[in-house]
Amino acid sequence: EAQATFVVVLQAFSISMYEEESIYKIIPPEAPVMEKQPMYRSKHSGKAPPSCSTFGLAQTSKPGVTNMQGETSNPRGSNHSFRKSKATFGPPPGSSVTPPTGILLKGTGAAKVEPLSAVKKKNPECLKPATLKDKIKPPVPKIDEKPIMNLVSSKNFITANAVENILAAPKKVSKDAKDYLHKADYGKVPGYLQRIKQDIEEEYTFIRQMQEEEQNASAGNNMRCLSDAERTAMIEGLKAKWEKVNTDYQSSTHITKLDTVGKVRRKEQYEATLSQIEKDIERLNRKYIFVDADGMMP
């Protein structure tokens, strides 16, 4: 199939090539003259009433269709005419044409405008404007007006501007001006922010309580709530430990040059211990703390 298609394409190409190279195409052929057919005219009258028509039946006693017999003259059976005034698609042709006696003649539509020269002679006041607009730009200098040249000022505008601002009197504030620095709520946190913070804190407290309840439910009966005395004793012990570690840490702060690995590790160990103790104290400041009843571990 592919070979047959190639052969057909090759033959078409060779035929088109030969047609393009034909010498008979140098002179274009004459265009055939089409003979005009006579205009069709119907043998029936164009003014005959239409058969089976629904036109012109509004507000009449006729049924929905007229001239069922197809009569060419006025249909029988009623004293109503099948045509009404402008009851078709528009007025009859030629009804809106202006008669030859009613055309607009030259000079009859409007009064003749007098030329400008005649108005200047007869009524020059009409040419004057009623109101004159204010000039926005200064007038152009005349030919005999010469500008003033070689005017040089010795004024130092920078120094003069600084002196004027230094010696200028302060602006007087009117009594009606609002003083925003002496308002009742100046420098205070707005009330809506306090309400929002309170709502957020209540949500966090509710979430923490739910988490603690889940932890208690998962731990079983081996958890108990730490008493205030035990919590205070643990906080005091952590504070004493923090004071001891801080004293040792402050005794080595004068060493600015950490040239050995031991000094660097010792400094990092002090800092990590102090940070952990502070976190433990913050954790013990909670209202409810549950510990393991067997191991006493928070």
Side-chain angles (χ1 to χ4, degrees):
E1 294 180 358
Q3 186 175 2
T5 305
F6 177 74
V7 171
V8 171
V9 172
L10 184 60
Q11 291 176 356
F13 177 74
S14 61
I15 292 170
S16 63
M17 182 178 64
Y18 293 143
E19 288 181 356
E20 291 178 358
E21 294 181 355
S22 176
I23 195 172
Y24 295 103
K25 288 192 174 184
I26 296 176
I27 301 174
E30 296 182 359
V33 179
M34 301 297 294
E35 185 178 356
K36 187 175 181 181
Q37 298 293 332
M39 184 176 179
Y40 172 78
R41 294 185 182 276
S42 177
K43 62 180 180 179
H44 302 287
S45 175
K47 297 181 179 181
S51 300
C52 303
S53 174
T54 58
F55 289 167
L57 298 178
Q59 299 178 359
T60 63
S61 59
K62 293 183 179 182
V65 182
T66 61
N67 196 9
M68 296 294 292
Q69 294 85 357
E71 298 181 5
T72 57
S73 60
N74 292 331
R76 296 172 297 172
S78 176
N79 56 353
H80 295 284
S81 175
F82 75 99
R83 288 184 181 179
K84 286 189 176 181
S85 176
K86 299 184 180 179
T88 58
F89 290 104
S95 60
S96 60
V97 177
T98 305
T101 57
I103 61 175
L104 183 65
L105 301 177
K106 181 179 179 181
T108 58
K112 186 177 181 181
V113 179
E114 296 182 352
L116 184 60
S117 58
V119 175
K120 287 181 179 180
K121 292 179 181 180
K122 295 180 180 180
N123 196 4
E125 291 79 7
C126 296
L127 301 177
K128 294 182 180 180
T131 56
L132 296 176
K133 294 183 179 180
D134 298 335
K135 294 183 179 181
I136 301 175
K137 297 181 179 180
V140 179
K142 299 180 181 179
I143 192 170
D144 55 348
E145 294 180 358
K146 295 182 180 181
I148 302 173
M149 307 294 290
N150 299 326
L151 288 179
V152 180
S153 176
S154 60
K155 179 180 178 180
N156 190 348
F157 290 93
I158 299 175
T159 306
N161 190 18
V163 172
E164 289 177 2
N165 285 279
I166 292 170
L167 300 179
K171 294 182 179 179
K172 295 182 179 180
V173 182
S174 61
K175 296 181 180 180
D176 299 334
K178 295 182 179 180
D179 190 2
Y180 295 97
L181 300 178
H182 294 83
K183 294 194 302 183
D185 55 349
Y186 178 76
K188 298 180 181 179
V189 180
Y192 72 94
L193 287 180
Q194 294 179 357
R195 292 192 297 270
I196 292 173
K197 289 182 179 180
Q198 184 178 359
D199 295 340
I200 294 173
E201 186 63 28
E202 290 177 357
E203 290 179 0
Y204 284 155
T205 304
F206 179 73
I207 293 171
R208 285 196 295 268
Q209 290 178 359
M210 291 181 61
Q211 291 176 352
E212 291 173 357
E213 290 176 359
E214 290 178 358
Q215 292 177 0
N216 296 337
S218 61
N221 298 327
N222 295 328
M223 303 295 293
R224 70 178 184 86
C225 183
L226 194 67
S227 63
D228 293 340
E230 294 174 346
R231 185 170 59 84
T232 305
M234 293 179 68
I235 291 173
E236 294 295 334
L238 290 173
K239 288 182 178 180
K241 183 177 179 181
W242 187 88
E243 291 290 342
K244 181 178 180 303
V245 177
N246 188 38
T247 302
D248 297 339
Y249 178 68
Q250 294 294 333
S251 62
S252 61
T253 54
H254 65 281
I255 303 175
T256 58
K257 186 177 181 181
L258 303 177
D259 53 354
T260 61
V261 179
K263 293 179 181 180
V264 176
R265 289 181 179 177
R266 196 176 299 110
K267 179 177 178 299
E268 293 177 353
Q269 185 179 2
Y270 285 150
E271 292 176 352
T273 305
L274 291 173
S275 178
Q276 185 63 36
I277 292 172
E278 291 174 357
K279 291 181 181 179
D280 294 339
I281 293 173
E282 184 179 0
R283 186 180 301 175
L284 288 173
N285 285 327
R286 297 177 182 176
K287 187 175 181 180
Y288 299 102
I289 300 175
F290 294 91
V291 297
D292 190 0
D294 300 331
M296 294 293 291
M297 295 297 292

